[in-house]
Amino acid sequence: MLKGKAVIETDASGDAEKLCATPTGDCNGFVYALRYVKTDYADGVDIVFSGSESGIIYHTWTDVNATATVSDGDGSFIKKPIANENLKIVVSSGGDTKTGTVHVWVGR
Amino acid sequence: MERIETTITTAASGEIISYLEDPHGILRGKVAAIRYVKIDYPDTVDIVITGEVSGIEIYTWTNVTASETVFPFDSGTYLGIPIANERIKIDIKQGGFEKSGTFHFWIGMAN
């Protein structure tokens, strides 16, 4: 199992887009879990996780106000395959120049 | 896990049969997900995906109108299908005159 981390800062319009890969660059296997750690994103921030090439959607947080985690089998998330692409994170409505952190767990 | 992408363009008849091959060797494992990305197939397009030799049914889209992804672990309509020593056959019908769509296949040994 590998974990990737990205600290994402929004622009003046409250938006941001970033690619997140594991430390070895290996994004092959399944996305098992995603965690958003709130720093100072505005309440109501939207965060979408997708494949950078395929557009497959891994998870969408809409109007999230606090730190949150989804993991395989928790009832709100199922593991989904990832291969030969990065995880793309799109933040919107996050507030002017605000920051949050995401963690991604990828394994076989 | 491997992701294989292919873009398929129909003939003048609106039909085409295409075969998915593993660029590194033989397809072997389970189809963990399939994503159809609409380019300009009409909303009448039918897509049937099977094993080329065995005929094992992998997935069928009927009159699919938008991009869609199917997974084996949903409680809904799709279960991971094994594939070994054969190509995946993608049969397009009613796809319009020389229209295209893109497909992503995730193939790996699922738990």
Side-chain angles (χ1 to χ4, degrees), chain A residues 28 30 32 54 78 83-84, chain B residues 1 3 35 71 74 106 111:
Chain A
N28 274 29
F30 289 91
Y32 277 91
S54 66
I78 57 171
N84 310 325
Chain B
M1 182 68 63
R3 180 177 59 86
R35 177 166 171 79
F71 304 95
D74 275 346
W106 286 263
N111 294 324

Side-chain angles (χ1 to χ4, degrees), chain B residues 80-91:
Chain B
I81 303 295
I83 188 80
N85 305 325
E86 62 181 330
R87 298 183 299 179
I88 291 175
K89 176 180 163 184
I90 306 160
D91 191 342

Side-chain angles (χ1 to χ4, degrees), chain B residues 17-39:
Chain B
I17 293 176
S18 183
Y19 296 95
L20 188 79
E21 296 178 281
D22 185 337
H24 306 297
I26 298 170
L27 287 174
R28 190 172 290 151
K30 280 193 176 183
V31 183
I34 307 172
R35 177 166 171 79
Y36 158 60
V37 181
K38 182 183 178 82
I39 300 175

Side-chain angles (χ1 to χ4, degrees), chain A residues 10-24:
Chain A
T10 57
D11 58 20
S13 62
D15 301 331
E17 184 176 308
K18 192 158 186 174
L19 299 181
C20 176
T22 60
T24 63

Side-chain angles (χ1 to χ4, degrees), chain B residues 86-106:
Chain B
E86 62 181 330
R87 298 183 299 179
I88 291 175
K89 176 180 163 184
I90 306 160
D91 191 342
I92 310 288
K93 287 188 168 47
Q94 302 186 80
F97 178 97
E98 293 181 353
K99 302 296 182 184
S100 298
T102 295
F103 299 85
H104 299 264
F105 287 80
W106 286 263

Side-chain angles (χ1 to χ4, degrees), chain B residues 54-95:
Chain B
S54 67
I56 187 169
E57 298 159 329
I58 297 174
Y59 198 75
T60 296
W61 272 292
T62 303
N63 295 328
V64 58
T65 61
S67 300
E68 185 176 333
T69 307
V70 291
F71 304 95
F73 304 106
D74 275 346
S75 58
T77 59
Y78 182 71
L79 295 175
I81 303 295
I83 188 80
N85 305 325
E86 62 181 330
R87 298 183 299 179
I88 291 175
K89 176 180 163 184
I90 306 160
D91 191 342
I92 310 288
K93 287 188 168 47
Q94 302 186 80

